[in-house]
Amino acid sequence: MSKSLLKELLQRKVFRGIGIYVLVAWIIMQAAEIVLPAFNLPEWTLRFIIIGLVLGLPVVAVFAWLFDVTPEGIKRDSEIDRSAQSTDSAGRIVDFAIIGVLLIAVVYFGWHYFVGKPVITEAAAREPSIAVLPFVNMSGDKENDYFSDGVSEELLNALARVDGLKVAGRTSSFFFKGKDQDLRIIGEQLGVATVLEGSVRKANDRVRVTAQLVNAVDGFHLWSDTFDYELNDVFQVQDEIAQAVVRALKGKLLGEDVLATTSVKTTSSQCYASYLQGRDQLHRRRKETIVRSEALFKEAIEADPNYAPAWVGLAESYMLQHINHDLLSFEEAEGKAEEAIQRALALDDNSSEAYAALGLIRMQAERQEEAEAAFSRSLALNPNYPEALHWYALLDKNRGQIDRAYEKLSRSLELDPLHPVARANLGAIFIARGEHDKARRFFERSISLEPDYAPNYVVLAGIESFGPMCRPAQSLAIIDQAIAISPETVEFRQYKVAVLLEMDDVEAARKEVAELLATSPGHPLSTL
């Protein structure tokens, strides 16, 4: 830019006009990002606002070149005697400051929209990938949640059976239920290139489902459609919707004609609603939610004893009550889980989920060869079942095969990246490999993703207290956070006692034991 042109631009106050316009435009965009989601307006609304503001910029620049605001009002620049105007050094400073701000703004927005956009993982870039978010129930009746969740579940199951398509696991997808999150951020967190979202509106004997596929890199829509059905058979409608969406997505995702096979169905809406609620409670992995899942799976079985997935969920609930919280003895958990899983396999011998649960039962019984055979069968039926990979990795870890465990857990988390237990176990693998700094960063990230999952705090406390850094004071503060989240978990208080003894604070340890015994009389720590 020549000095004469720069001087002319400054004299005509073009930079000042552009600067004011950019500031106002930025305020409008920030307000739009906050206000638009509250009215459930589509994402393209914000894009149109941004495009309109960008197109307005050259108009403002031309206006600033041709006109000026004077004490006498707006005048053409040709009507103003510039020679009569005094040189305003303060005004010049303002103009140069605005130029600097504009340069910073260009760099910021360029970085934000081109360099700093959410990055899809290398795995997602190599293969077609999708996350199915829970469809929103627009019926105005909370009781219809089972139907909208069922549509999402059926879509997820149908897409998971499409060869060559990576589908984010249910735990991670349903993590975003009821959360107003940018789809690009969701795509980044789940490691997928596309996100499927939608809504369900059920009224009397009709249902309308709207689905849309969004590019997780730039947030642009790739496809959308609306499906209307007579609601004669709830489950047939869910299946038909799933197949219709899969057919519609075939060209967008794979470029070929593919049709997913269907999964085992139930004709009972009560069974399906209870099953979905049971799965939701089980995936949370809290003591109270695992206990609640048992009752929900039993409700599902009572409504339809021939629905195999409910028997699988019940078997998992029994085992996790023992493994995670010691609510059942191993003998009791194994006996009940074995009976449930055999019922499931008798009903559906091609259930990947049933064989994975069988592998978990065999692994806990230390029948390692049988556990490996069950996990292998599960993955042969569905190579992308995250829980099978997760539990199989634990079998490898128990055998001391740390690298094999790492590979399986890494793949499991590619498919279901927000699974809290799988993340905790991968962090434990880092510790087993002596990568304590990596483990610390990993658990800090896990806590930021799910701050209410107490076991992450416990493992992080262990890294601080018993790792190379040996910082028991920091460990104590972290374990207190776990206790605040789950005060009824005895194991956390036991761990706190161990840390206090590591710090040679016997009196504080005795006090902690006294509080523990007040809620758990006869606990072995009474001998301290």
Side-chain angles (χ1 to χ4, degrees):
M1 184 183 293
S2 65
K3 290 184 178 179
S4 59
L5 177 59
L6 177 61
K7 181 179 179 181
E8 188 72 15
L9 289 170
L10 290 171
Q11 194 173 51
R12 292 172 180 254
K13 302 177 184 177
V14 173
F15 289 120
R16 192 176 300 185
I18 292 174
I20 294 171
Y21 179 81
V22 169
L23 176 62
V24 173
W26 180 81
I27 293 171
I28 292 173
M29 285 191 293
Q30 296 302 308
E33 283 188 332
I34 296 170
V35 173
L36 294 182
F39 292 94
N40 291 319
L41 294 174
E43 289 188 4
W44 54 258
T45 308
L46 179 60
R47 285 197 289 274
F48 271 112
I49 291 174
I50 294 173
I51 291 170
L53 291 171
V54 171
L55 292 176
L57 184 60
V59 175
V60 170
V62 171
F63 185 88
W65 177 269
L66 296 175
F67 299 92
D68 196 1
V69 179
T70 69
E72 293 80 27
I74 297 176
K75 291 186 177 182
R76 283 183 172 275
D77 190 79
S78 58
E79 300 173 355
I80 300 172
D81 184 6
R82 297 290 183 188
S83 62
Q85 293 182 336
S86 61
T87 302
D88 184 359
S89 59
R92 290 293 180 88
I93 293 173
V94 170
D95 287 332
F96 282 115
I98 288 174
I99 293 173
V101 170
L102 287 174
L103 288 174
I104 293 171
V106 169
V107 172
Y108 170 78
F109 286 111
W111 173 267
H112 182 71
Y113 286 103
F114 296 100
V115 181
K117 290 191 299 185
V119 179
I120 303 301
T121 63
E122 184 181 346
R126 287 198 308 268
E127 57 184 335
S129 53
I130 188 170
V132 181
L133 298 186
F135 276 39
V136 178
N137 174 17
M138 302 289 288
S139 305
D141 183 356
K142 188 70 175 175
E143 292 299 317
N144 284 326
D145 265 6
Y146 88 92
F147 184 80
S148 55
D149 284 352
V151 170
S152 309
E153 184 98 12
E154 196 60 41
L155 277 167
L156 197 153
N157 290 335
L159 289 167
R161 289 174 168 79
V162 175
D163 289 336
L165 179 63
K166 172 191 165 186
V167 182
R170 185 190 189 281
T171 305
S172 295
S173 295
F174 273 67
F175 175 84
F176 297 99
K177 182 176 180 178
K179 299 178 181 178
D180 185 18
Q181 187 84 291
D182 190 313
L183 295 181
R184 293 171 296 177
I185 296 174
I186 292 175
E188 180 186 18
Q189 291 189 349
L190 300 187
V192 295
T194 55
V195 175
L196 182 68
E197 63 170 358
S199 62
V200 177
R201 190 179 296 277
K202 184 169 169 279
N204 299 323
D205 59 348
R206 293 195 63 82
V207 63
R208 167 169 288 188
V209 176
T210 301
Q212 52 191 12
L213 184 70
V214 180
N215 187 321
V217 176
D218 54 24
F220 281 87
H221 286 72
L222 300 174
W223 164 88
S224 64
D225 206 346
T226 299
F227 305 88
D228 290 293
Y229 289 92
E230 291 285 344
L231 201 59
N232 299 320
D233 183 332
V234 169
F235 305 103
Q236 181 182 348
V237 169
Q238 288 178 343
D239 184 52
E240 288 177 3
I241 292 170
Q243 298 302 329
V245 173
V246 171
R247 279 192 294 268
L249 296 184
K250 65 182 185 294
K252 295 292 182 183
L253 297 174
L254 298 172
E256 59 184 18
D257 192 359
V258 292
L259 190 60
T261 57
T262 57
S263 55
V264 175
K265 307 294 181 188
T266 176
T267 58
S268 167
S269 59
Q270 179 58 53
C271 170
Y272 199 46
S274 296
Y275 168 74
L276 290 175
Q277 293 173 45
R279 273 288 165 202
D280 179 67
Q281 294 296 305
L282 192 65
H283 283 305
R284 295 171 189 255
R285 290 296 198 272
R286 275 52 166 192
K287 179 187 290 187
E288 65 279 5
T289 66
I290 292 177
V291 172
R292 199 175 301 133
S293 74
E294 177 189 345
L296 288 164
F297 289 131
K298 285 179 176 178
E299 284 181 14
I301 290 167
E302 184 177 354
D304 183 357
N306 295 320
Y307 188 51
W311 287 103
V312 175
L314 184 60
E316 291 180 17
S317 177
Y318 287 138
M319 291 308 299
L320 294 177
Q321 285 183 57
H322 165 70
I323 296 169
N324 292 160
H325 300 287
D326 208 22
L327 296 172
L328 298 175
S329 67
F330 171 70
E331 292 75 16
E332 186 179 5
E334 182 191 28
K336 291 182 174 183
E338 181 73 26
E339 181 182 354
I341 209 62
Q342 292 305 326
R343 289 291 300 272
L345 288 168
L347 292 165
D348 182 10
D349 191 40
N350 290 314
S351 169
S352 174
E353 292 82 358
Y355 280 104
L358 178 62
L360 178 66
I361 297 168
R362 296 289 182 265
M363 178 173 65
Q364 291 300 309
E366 298 185 0
R367 295 155 66 176
Q368 294 185 348
E369 291 183 4
E370 293 177 36
E372 183 162 21
F375 290 138
S376 296
R377 174 65 175 157
S378 174
L379 292 172
L381 290 165
N382 181 3
N384 294 323
Y385 183 41
E387 205 71 277
L389 289 161
H390 172 205
W391 290 334
Y392 200 170
L394 297 184
L395 178 65
D396 288 336
K397 182 174 180 287
N398 293 342
R399 291 169 156 180
Q401 298 169 332
I402 302 301
D403 290 339
R404 285 185 58 183
Y406 174 77
E407 290 174 6
K408 290 185 179 70
L409 268 174
S410 297
R411 177 59 180 163
S412 175
L413 284 169
E414 276 185 24
L415 296 164
D416 203 357
L418 299 183
H419 192 303
V421 184
R423 288 189 64 86
N425 284 320
L426 182 59
I429 293 291
F430 290 142
I431 296 172
R433 294 169 65 166
E435 300 172 333
H436 291 88
D437 286 340
K438 192 171 186 178
R440 179 184 290 104
R441 292 193 299 272
F442 185 83
F443 279 107
E444 288 172 348
R445 170 65 174 158
S446 294
I447 288 170
S448 70
L449 288 172
E450 194 162 8
D452 292 334
Y453 187 64
N456 283 329
Y457 293 89
V458 179
V459 184
L460 183 59
I463 296 171
E464 293 289 358
S465 184
F466 302 107
M469 298 296 289
C470 192
R471 299 188 292 190
Q474 285 87 338
S475 175
L476 195 62
I478 295 170
I479 198 67
D480 278 338
Q481 289 178 277
I483 293 172
I485 294 169
S486 183
E488 76 285 354
T489 304
V490 173
E491 292 77 11
F492 296 168
R493 291 188 175 274
Q494 288 179 261
Y495 196 94
K496 183 175 181 179
V497 171
V499 174
L500 288 169
L501 291 175
E502 179 75 10
M503 298 172 68
D504 293 327
D505 194 344
V506 177
E507 287 305 313
R510 288 184 182 278
K511 181 180 178 181
E512 192 65 34
V513 169
E515 293 180 6
L516 173 62
L517 294 178
T519 55
S520 302
H523 193 280
L525 284 177
S526 60
T527 58
L528 184 66

